[in-house]
Amino acid sequence: MKSLQGTSSKQPIKFRIPTAENLVPIRLDIDLDGHKFKDAFTWNPSGILPGLYPLISVACVFTVTDPDSEVVVFAKRTVKDLKLPQAFVTQIAQSIQAQLVEFRSLEGQEMFAGERIVPLKLDLLINNTIIRDQFLWDLNNFESDPEEFARTLCKDLDIIDPEVGPAVAVAIREQLYEIAVQSVASARETRVSKKGRRGTEHMSTSKSGGAALDLMKLFGGRSSIVRKRKEWDLYEPIVDILSNEEVEALNAREERNARLKKRFTERDDFY
């Protein structure tokens, strides 16, 4: 375990996701010309991709010299492999590039580190498998491996679908990434506050700052990794295998809810 000795949650370090490999979780959800495409995988922002872990496409291995041009190569290959309309090439490439730009904008910025144990949750439907679980993760372990954790979890739960493990790993990385992003916002708010550029009242009403401060309040102290007996059921993983009909019904309900949410959002924007 690689930890930052002698640090505390009040001591800033340079931004990075608390894992051995600083990979960017990428999620695609594109609806175009009557076709839908959903995928999730990790991307190495340095330009060398040790592996991609998509939900529905085949895992790939790349060695690249220009990561931005490789985005287009990946988009073209995905469209070809899945027989999607050519218009998806631009949409896929733009979505990946936008997420990489957001990640790179954080590089070099300060974030808080320290001995923090946080709960992570899983609530995933992959093909016919539903997996729900929650567990504790050490944010100060910079050699943690979500992919290895996911493989072990699937082995322990006798999950045979090869797409579940990669999806679990991506879900973990997404949560760790979000925590790191909020830690950057919290460090920024603290720095600005010390310089006297923003008063306490304004800082407490800031949307991003408020989320970061709430995170620090919730996870800033040292948490116990020993689960209390009354909490055992909460941390027991649940795995269900659905029939094709149940999966179709669940997907239809989610799509209906998404349409309703979009409709209400558009109505609110109109008024």
Side-chain angles (χ1 to χ4, degrees):
M1 170 178 167
K2 180 180 179 183
S3 59
L4 304 177
Q5 300 296 331
T7 62
S8 69
S9 58
K10 297 299 182 181
Q11 236 176 343
I13 62 170
K14 295 300 182 182
F15 168 81
R16 67 160 297 165
I17 302 174
T19 55
E21 294 182 288
N22 203 32
L23 306 179
V24 185
I26 301 292
R27 186 167 293 273
L28 304 176
D29 189 351
I30 301 172
D31 189 345
L32 183 65
D33 297 335
H35 295 80
K36 294 182 180 181
F37 173 64
K38 292 184 178 182
D39 207 352
F41 46 86
T42 56
W43 193 282
N44 191 325
S46 66
I48 300 176
L49 302 182
L52 297 178
Y53 305 96
L55 292 180
I56 61 175
S57 55
V58 179
C60 308
V61 177
F62 294 103
T63 301
V64 303
T65 55
D66 183 351
D68 292 324
S69 65
E70 190 60 28
V71 169
V72 178
V73 173
F74 172 77
K76 291 180 178 179
R77 184 175 301 181
T78 299
V79 168
K80 180 180 179 181
D81 290 345
L82 299 178
K83 296 180 173 56
L84 295 169
Q86 282 299 307
F88 271 81
V89 172
T90 300
Q91 295 295 321
I92 291 173
Q94 288 180 346
S95 181
I96 295 174
Q97 288 167 339
Q99 293 176 68
L100 291 176
V101 167
E102 180 181 1
F103 177 87
R104 289 169 181 156
S105 69
L106 299 167
E107 292 182 321
Q109 296 194 43
E110 292 183 340
M111 60 178 276
F112 287 123
E115 297 182 8
R116 289 189 289 158
I117 308 296
V118 302
L120 301 183
K121 294 186 177 183
L122 300 176
D123 189 356
L124 304 172
L125 170 62
I126 306 96
N127 297 325
N128 292 65
T129 302
I130 286 181
I131 178 169
R132 296 186 180 94
D133 196 9
Q134 61 177 330
F135 41 85
L136 301 175
W137 199 275
D138 182 5
L139 296 184
N140 203 34
N141 182 359
F142 283 79
E143 286 190 351
S144 66
D145 188 341
E147 284 71 32
E148 179 61 29
F149 176 90
R151 286 191 290 268
T152 301
L153 180 67
C154 290
K155 181 180 179 180
D156 291 344
L157 299 178
D158 294 323
I159 297 175
I160 60 176
D161 188 334
E163 295 183 7
V164 174
V168 168
V170 171
I172 292 173
R173 287 189 176 276
E174 286 179 325
Q175 293 178 69
L176 295 176
Y177 180 30
E178 181 63 25
I179 291 172
V181 170
Q182 292 187 12
S183 293
V184 169
S186 181
R188 185 185 302 119
E189 292 288 358
T190 299
R191 186 168 59 252
V192 170
S193 178
K194 286 182 178 180
K195 291 180 179 179
R197 296 177 181 173
R198 185 173 300 176
T200 304
E201 180 180 352
H202 182 78
M203 192 169 92
S204 64
T205 58
S206 169
K207 182 177 181 181
S208 61
L213 292 175
D214 288 343
L215 178 77
M216 295 301 296
K217 184 185 298 182
L218 184 60
F219 300 139
R222 180 180 297 180
S223 302
S224 171
I225 61 174
V226 179
R227 296 169 183 166
K228 301 175 183 178
R229 182 177 295 274
K230 65 181 180 179
E231 295 177 343
W232 286 359
D233 290 341
L234 297 177
Y235 286 91
E236 181 180 357
I238 298 173
V239 178
D240 289 326
I241 305 299
L242 305 182
S243 65
N244 291 335
E245 291 76 13
E246 289 173 323
V247 172
E248 291 176 0
L250 184 59
N251 288 333
R253 185 166 67 247
E254 291 180 349
E255 290 181 6
R256 184 170 61 253
N257 291 339
R259 289 196 301 270
L260 288 174
K261 183 178 180 181
K262 181 179 180 182
R263 187 180 306 165
F264 286 131
T265 301
E266 292 175 346
R267 185 190 66 180
D268 292 341
D269 290 342
F270 176 79
Y271 289 108

